[in-house]
Every structure is written in C-alpha cells, then in structure tokens.
Amino acid sequence: LRRFLKQRAVEPLLALRIKRFLEHKHAKQKKTMQQKQVTLLNMLSKQLQEELQTAINVPHLAIHPLLETLTETSFIIMTRLCTEGVGRMSLASQDTLFEPMQMAVGMYFLSAGKIIYQTSDLDEECLLENDGWISEAVLWTAEWEHMGEATAGTDCEVLTIVPKSFEAIVMLVKTVAAVMAQYARDYVEWIAKCEKHSDITQKEEAFERTKSFVHKPLDLKKQNTRKMFEAARKGDQ
C-alpha cells in the first residue's frame, strides 16, 4: 500500500487518511465477523436471509417513529425495505457526506460512528451519533437541497434510504401507502411553518412531534369515515 501511494505521488495528508482508514477497517473486520465470512448463511432460505437482514437493520431504523410503527404494523413491508431499499456506505474520518446546496439523494441513519453537521451560515453545529437521522425531507418533498455540511467525525457506517425505492416499496400495500401519505402531508405542513431548516433531526428533540404525524391504518379509516359523515351533513344543510 505504501509503495502504491508513493508511486502514484499521492499527497502525504491524503495518504495518511487512506492508511488510517484501511487500518481501522482491517482491525474491525478481524474483530467483527462479516456476514459473507459465514458460508453456512448461504444455505438459508430466501425468507430467512431477508429476516436476518431485517434483524440487522431494524434497530438502527426504528429510532424513527414512522419506521418503528411500520415494523409493528407491516413487518412484510419493513422486511422488503430492509432488504431492497436500504443501502450501506462507509465513511472515513473527515469524509464529506454532503455539502450546502447539494441536491439530497437519500435519508441517512448512522449504524456506527459520529457525524459533524454545520449549517451554511455557521449558525448551527451539532454532533450526531445513533440518536437521530439525516435529510428526512428528501422522502417527502420533490427536491431537497442540503442546508449545511455533514462530515464524518470518526470512521462511520451509514444506512441510506433512496426516495424512489422507498416509495415503490411502501406503495405495495394500500393501508401502508395511506399511512405514508398522511405522514407526508403532516410533515410537509410542519416544515413549511418552521423558521429555520436543518438536515439533522435529533431523536430527543423530534420524536414526539414526528410521532404525532404517524397514524395507524384503523385510525385513518375512522378519520376518513368521520370526514365522510361531516361532508354528508354539510350537503344536507
């Protein structure tokens, strides 16, 4: 590795970051067994492989109240999301996840490490671990530009949800699609009222608010029935 970097005239600071990241990654792989190393897992049925992947991803995703509810009410859709709609990426310390005014491409959850976030006006700086999520607005708005810069404070493992994949999966079941549509309306209405916007959402600050946007299918059915009766009464009058 050192010879390769030297022959390619890689500048010393970058070479040092590369070596540190690879050393960390190698040490982690030696300490933590990777799924592909367990060859017996290849013998699992498709359903068991999907359930295993879901068990690995859900603890990191279910910190969000909407995904927590989805886990409880439609495990099949949550399994589909965890196996087909969630990607993984590694960041080395000081890597940039995104910059201000960059078009957002996904919603992020941290499974390991720390992200440092700073708004473009330098008005806000915060440290995110596995106690929040990043760029949720990209799931519910047509276009979302990042409001600040996110960089890796340490080596990180990040879970990514891409909007198009998310939409395709949750639309498979009508009751789930209805829950998502109502959540999207409430969420967009809320951010429209906010004076300041951020890409970072801390769980302790936003859990109860975002939870209030989550409706279970039965609750939505009752609400829709009530609206129908109210509309009928107005028509009679």
Side-chain angles (χ1 to χ4, degrees), residues 121 123 147 191 193-198:
D121 58 7
D123 189 44
M147 310 302 295
I191 62 172
K193 295 176 182 177
C194 293
E195 294 182 2
K196 290 186 177 182
H197 296 111
S198 173

mmCIF file of all heavy atoms in Angstrom, residues 121 123 147 191 193-198:
data_model
loop_
_atom_site.group_PDB
_atom_site.id
_atom_site.type_symbol
_atom_site.label_atom_id
_atom_site.label_comp_id
_atom_site.label_asym_id
_atom_site.label_seq_id
_atom_site.Cartn_x
_atom_site.Cartn_y
_atom_site.Cartn_z
ATOM 1 N N ASP A 121 -24.704 28.944 7.214
ATOM 2 C CA ASP A 121 -24.496 30.259 7.828
ATOM 3 C C ASP A 121 -23.714 30.169 9.135
ATOM 4 O O ASP A 121 -23.590 31.167 9.862
ATOM 5 C CB ASP A 121 -25.832 30.953 8.073
ATOM 6 C CG ASP A 121 -26.765 30.130 8.956
ATOM 7 O OD1 ASP A 121 -26.325 29.083 9.484
ATOM 8 O OD2 ASP A 121 -27.933 30.521 9.112
ATOM 9 N N ASP A 123 -24.553 28.995 11.790
ATOM 10 C CA ASP A 123 -25.405 29.284 12.944
ATOM 11 C C ASP A 123 -25.621 28.052 13.822
ATOM 12 O O ASP A 123 -25.981 28.157 14.982
ATOM 13 C CB ASP A 123 -26.768 29.816 12.451
ATOM 14 C CG ASP A 123 -27.626 30.336 13.582
ATOM 15 O OD1 ASP A 123 -27.087 31.048 14.443
ATOM 16 O OD2 ASP A 123 -28.828 30.020 13.613
ATOM 17 N N MET A 147 -28.992 21.904 3.706
ATOM 18 C CA MET A 147 -28.890 23.213 4.339
ATOM 19 C C MET A 147 -27.525 23.446 4.978
ATOM 20 O O MET A 147 -27.231 24.525 5.467
ATOM 21 C CB MET A 147 -29.979 23.362 5.412
ATOM 22 C CG MET A 147 -31.369 23.014 4.939
ATOM 23 S SD MET A 147 -31.905 24.014 3.536
ATOM 24 C CE MET A 147 -31.964 25.633 4.277
ATOM 25 N N ILE A 191 -42.844 21.497 8.208
ATOM 26 C CA ILE A 191 -41.590 22.162 7.824
ATOM 27 C C ILE A 191 -41.854 23.490 7.119
ATOM 28 O O ILE A 191 -41.009 24.383 7.148
ATOM 29 C CB ILE A 191 -40.675 21.264 6.953
ATOM 30 C CG1 ILE A 191 -41.337 20.881 5.629
ATOM 31 C CG2 ILE A 191 -40.240 20.037 7.714
ATOM 32 C CD1 ILE A 191 -40.375 20.173 4.679
ATOM 33 N N LYS A 193 -43.891 25.615 8.139
ATOM 34 C CA LYS A 193 -44.082 26.594 9.212
ATOM 35 C C LYS A 193 -42.789 26.901 9.962
ATOM 36 O O LYS A 193 -42.733 27.867 10.726
ATOM 37 C CB LYS A 193 -45.129 26.079 10.203
ATOM 38 C CG LYS A 193 -46.528 25.934 9.616
ATOM 39 C CD LYS A 193 -47.471 25.337 10.642
ATOM 40 C CE LYS A 193 -48.871 25.148 10.058
ATOM 41 N NZ LYS A 193 -49.777 24.483 11.045
ATOM 42 N N CYS A 194 -41.769 26.066 9.773
ATOM 43 C CA CYS A 194 -40.515 26.256 10.507
ATOM 44 C C CYS A 194 -39.754 27.473 9.983
ATOM 45 O O CYS A 194 -39.638 27.665 8.776
ATOM 46 C CB CYS A 194 -39.623 25.016 10.376
ATOM 47 S SG CYS A 194 -40.279 23.557 11.196
ATOM 48 N N GLU A 195 -39.233 28.260 10.898
ATOM 49 C CA GLU A 195 -38.449 29.427 10.512
ATOM 50 C C GLU A 195 -37.059 29.026 10.021
ATOM 51 O O GLU A 195 -36.505 29.643 9.121
ATOM 52 C CB GLU A 195 -38.331 30.401 11.685
ATOM 53 C CG GLU A 195 -39.660 31.024 12.093
ATOM 54 C CD GLU A 195 -39.494 32.021 13.220
ATOM 55 O OE1 GLU A 195 -38.342 32.250 13.653
ATOM 56 O OE2 GLU A 195 -40.514 32.566 13.671
ATOM 57 N N LYS A 196 -36.485 27.998 10.672
ATOM 58 C CA LYS A 196 -35.163 27.518 10.283
ATOM 59 C C LYS A 196 -35.243 26.051 9.903
ATOM 60 O O LYS A 196 -36.006 25.290 10.503
ATOM 61 C CB LYS A 196 -34.166 27.698 11.429
ATOM 62 C CG LYS A 196 -33.810 29.142 11.714
ATOM 63 C CD LYS A 196 -32.713 29.217 12.767
ATOM 64 C CE LYS A 196 -32.302 30.670 13.017
ATOM 65 N NZ LYS A 196 -31.197 30.757 14.018
ATOM 66 N N HIS A 197 -34.466 25.676 8.904
ATOM 67 C CA HIS A 197 -34.442 24.289 8.462
ATOM 68 C C HIS A 197 -33.055 23.690 8.675
ATOM 69 O O HIS A 197 -32.049 24.390 8.604
ATOM 70 C CB HIS A 197 -34.831 24.175 6.991
ATOM 71 C CG HIS A 197 -36.236 24.600 6.714
ATOM 72 N ND1 HIS A 197 -36.537 25.748 6.012
ATOM 73 C CD2 HIS A 197 -37.423 24.051 7.061
ATOM 74 C CE1 HIS A 197 -37.850 25.872 5.924
ATOM 75 N NE2 HIS A 197 -38.409 24.859 6.556
ATOM 76 N N SER A 198 -33.046 22.397 8.932
ATOM 77 C CA SER A 198 -31.788 21.681 9.135
ATOM 78 C C SER A 198 -31.914 20.295 8.524
ATOM 79 O O SER A 198 -33.019 19.755 8.387
ATOM 80 C CB SER A 198 -31.484 21.572 10.642
ATOM 81 O OG SER A 198 -30.346 20.751 10.856
#
